[in-house]
Amino acid sequence: MQLEEAFISQGLFIFAANLNDPFMIIFEEALSIINNTRVSCTTEHVSLEISAGRILAEDVYSDVEMPPFDKAAVDGFACRRADLHGLLEVIEVIPAGKQPEKAVTAGKCSRIMTGAMVPEGADTVIMVEHTEETEDGSVRFLKEKTSANIAYRAEDVKQGQQVLNKGTLLKPQHIAILAAVGIPEPLVFRQPVIGIISTGDELTEPDNKPGTGQIRNSNAWQLMAQANQLGLKTVYTGIAADTPESVKKHISEAFDKSDIVLLTGGVSMGDFDHVPEVMQKLGVEIQFKSIAVQPGRPTVFGIRDEKFIFGLPGNPVSSFVQFELLVKQLVYRIMGHHFRPAVLRLPMAAEYSRKKAERKSFIPVRINAEGLIEPLEYHGSAHIHAYEEANGLMAVEIGEAQIAKGEMRNVRQL
Ligand SMILES: Nc1nc2c(c(=O)[nH]1)N[C@H]1C(S)=C(S)[C@@H](COP(=O)(O)OP(=O)(O)OC[C@H]3O[C@@H](n4cnc5c(N)ncnc54)[C@H](O)[C@@H]3O)O[C@H]1N2
Ligand code: MOO
């Protein structure tokens, strides 16, 4: 399909969908609203051991050279390359952490350990296993040639060089850099606290056997886990009943205790779907309440006094996917980071087709050992079990009903 045709067909589908739902926006617009929402980022110092997962709030410069001196890269003998093929007299043993006392001159060498300072005069370190000791305690090199086996002073990092950028999501390898440049308490952006509410009279907690018409509350636990995976603190207010009073009480409590409230259920068209109305009564300014996306169409997003609330659909896949796509984006914005999901472009292992194509879909897929995309059996937004094996989400665009085997597609890794 030509780009222009695709554009027209997307437009028509959205137009048709809009006849039933004048508030419906396309997914990209919802994402752009989140990405342009005004947030205030504040900072704090935290200790290195709890810094992974946080976002660096300042550029970091090195106060030292790395390596700080010419360093032996192997255990062996430091000598002059010119002397490699003669007998070498051992004049000193240099452990790591000790300053060499003697310079290496013609026909001499120093026994040296990995990480130790290369003595003056030496330009090569021969590996101990490539040598043999003679009866008088001298050393002979047994190979034809060798690399220098020296890590040179400042070859990795110069003093004063910028080593980390503000906005970096700190991973263990960044923590090593912070430690190496002497920053035991990096400045990072504060994290939002996540308030979680489940709504629905049919819900019972996981430790109960569901009675007639009941189901277990899985959303709250799933959302807590998603937030915890980002290192966020959560406050769970429990299950709200399907009454405006109960929903109001829970939202007020969650607003008091958190920065982003995540509520599931009660956002659609049912007689007991009070959430959007209650939000408005509580002074929430609704930014959107319907997206041409599947799962997650009736996703509500609102703002009140620099705090945020998502009304996520009750179906567990919808709340899982919209946390991944929208909530995570806002969380990272508040933490001063522009989150870019890891995306792989790979061929389809099999054909995929769907009956309706009015909404953009995100479907669970598995990237298999051959690097092919396998669409998983998926019955819709209640089918959380489809995600058991999923390691990716694949977008299917508006107007797109079929994807051929072998076609190259982007997969967002989970
Ligand atoms: N007439 C219409 N009905 C529905 C529409 C529509 O456009 N018109 N949209 C459908 C879509 S799409 C979705 S998604 C759901 C969203 O509904 P709600 O957010 O109002 O959610 P509920 O009705 O409360 O629940 C939906 C479903 O999910 C189960 N659920 C709810 N909470 C939990 C929880 N914490 N853990 C596990 N499962 C939960 C609930 O029992 C329902 O089965 O609306 C469609 N309807
Ligand atoms: O949008 Mo709903 O989340 O499709 O089932």
Side-chain angles (χ1 to χ4, degrees), residues 71-118:
K71 192 172 76 172
V74 296
D75 298 309
F77 299 91
C79 62
R80 303 182 337 152
R81 180 165 288 275
D83 300 339
L84 272 187
H85 299 294
L87 268 188
L88 297 167
E89 182 196 340
V90 183
I91 54 168
E92 185 185 7
V93 177
I94 314 171
K98 183 173 169 270
Q99 172 118 26
E101 285 168 8
K102 297 180 183 162
V104 168
T105 53
K108 317 266 181 196
C109 72
S110 290
R111 196 175 170 89
I112 192 165
M113 310 303 143
T114 303
M117 293 174 80
V118 174

Side-chain angles (χ1 to χ4, degrees), residues 198-199 202-203 215-220 264-269 273 297-298 312-316 318 359 381:
S198 291
T199 70
E202 76 279 27
L203 299 179
I215 58 161
R216 289 197 180 101
N217 174 17
S218 53
N219 288 347
T264 66
V267 290
S268 192
M269 309 289 282
D273 292 340
R297 187 198 56 72
L312 299 170
N315 283 310
S318 310
R359 290 190 262 166
S381 41

Side-chain angles (χ1 to χ4, degrees), residues 112-182:
I112 192 165
M113 310 303 143
T114 303
M117 293 174 80
V118 174
E120 206 186 310
D123 59 8
T124 303
V125 179
I126 48 180
M127 294 172 86
V128 67
E129 57 271 45
H130 295 167
T131 62
E132 69 177 5
E133 213 176 310
T134 60
E135 275 178 12
D136 67 349
S138 291
V139 166
R140 181 183 291 121
F141 181 52
L142 298 173
K143 297 273 173 183
E144 276 298 299
K145 47 188 183 177
T146 177
S147 323
N149 294 323
I150 296 173
Y152 295 102
R153 175 177 172 182
E155 73 175 358
D156 299 344
V157 174
K158 315 273 175 277
Q159 189 173 17
Q161 184 181 328
Q162 186 174 336
V163 283
L164 290 171
N165 297 323
K166 178 176 173 179
T168 298
L169 170 58
L170 294 175
K171 297 182 179 168
Q173 57 271 40
H174 301 123
I175 305 300
I177 296 172
L178 289 166
V181 301

Side-chain angles (χ1 to χ4, degrees), residues 121-383:
D123 59 8
T124 303
V125 179
I126 48 180
M127 294 172 86
V128 67
E129 57 271 45
H130 295 167
T131 62
E132 69 177 5
E133 213 176 310
T134 60
E135 275 178 12
D136 67 349
S138 291
V139 166
R140 181 183 291 121
F141 181 52
L142 298 173
K143 297 273 173 183
E144 276 298 299
K145 47 188 183 177
T146 177
S147 323
N149 294 323
I150 296 173
Y152 295 102
R153 175 177 172 182
E155 73 175 358
D156 299 344
V157 174
K158 315 273 175 277
Q159 189 173 17
Q161 184 181 328
Q162 186 174 336
V163 283
L164 290 171
N165 297 323
K166 178 176 173 179
T168 298
L169 170 58
L170 294 175
K171 297 182 179 168
Q173 57 271 40
H174 301 123
I175 305 300
I177 296 172
L178 289 166
V181 301
I183 302 195
E185 291 196 339
L187 187 71
V188 296
F189 288 105
R190 275 184 205 280
Q191 296 172 300
V193 174
I194 307 295
I196 294 172
I197 309 167
S198 291
T199 70
D201 288 342
E202 76 279 27
L203 299 179
T204 185
E205 293 293 14
D207 50 353
N208 296 329
K209 185 94 180 157
T212 309
Q214 286 191 317
I215 58 161
R216 289 197 180 101
N217 174 17
S218 53
N219 288 347
W221 304 96
Q222 176 173 250
L223 287 170
M224 276 184 252
Q226 285 178 290
N228 289 336
Q229 221 173 30
L230 301 182
L232 306 177
K233 290 200 181 71
T234 57
V235 176
Y236 174 44
T237 70
I239 299 172
D242 277 328
T243 63
E245 299 72 31
S246 178
V247 171
K248 189 173 165 192
K249 184 175 145 289
H250 279 259
I251 295 181
S252 300
E253 184 190 337
F255 263 137
D256 285 345
K257 295 179 178 167
S258 64
D259 304 291
I260 302 179
V261 178
L262 305 180
L263 171 153
T264 66
V267 290
S268 192
M269 309 289 282
D271 293 352
F272 305 100
D273 292 340
H274 307 294
V275 170
E277 178 199 323
V278 172
M279 280 190 196
Q280 269 163 326
K281 284 197 177 142
L282 284 170
V284 171
E285 283 176 43
I286 304 230
Q287 309 297 301
F288 57 76
K289 57 181 182 181
S290 177
I291 313 174
V293 70
Q294 212 282 322
R297 187 198 56 72
T299 296
V300 187
F301 173 56
I303 306 176
R304 191 182 84 167
D305 302 334
E306 300 205 356
K307 296 207 171 186
F308 306 95
I309 180 163
F310 284 89
L312 299 170
N315 283 310
V317 179
S318 310
S319 75
F320 173 80
V321 169
Q322 293 312 322
F323 181 100
E324 189 60 31
L325 300 178
L326 298 180
V327 179
K328 207 180 208 183
Q329 204 73 25
L330 181 69
V331 163
Y332 276 128
R333 285 211 63 223
I334 294 174
M335 286 167 67
H337 174 66
H338 184 73
F339 176 68
R340 288 182 191 82
V343 170
L344 292 175
R345 192 160 179 79
L346 298 167
M348 295 286 288
E351 188 199 76
Y352 168 81
S353 66
R354 60 176 180 161
K355 292 198 187 82
K356 291 186 184 168
E358 293 99 336
R359 290 190 262 166
K360 177 169 184 151
S361 266
F362 285 89
I363 60 161
V365 298
R366 194 174 77 90
I367 300 168
N368 66 22
E370 285 79 47
L372 301 173
I373 307 167
E374 284 177 8
L376 296 169
E377 185 179 334
Y378 173 56
H379 309 150
S381 41
H383 188 192

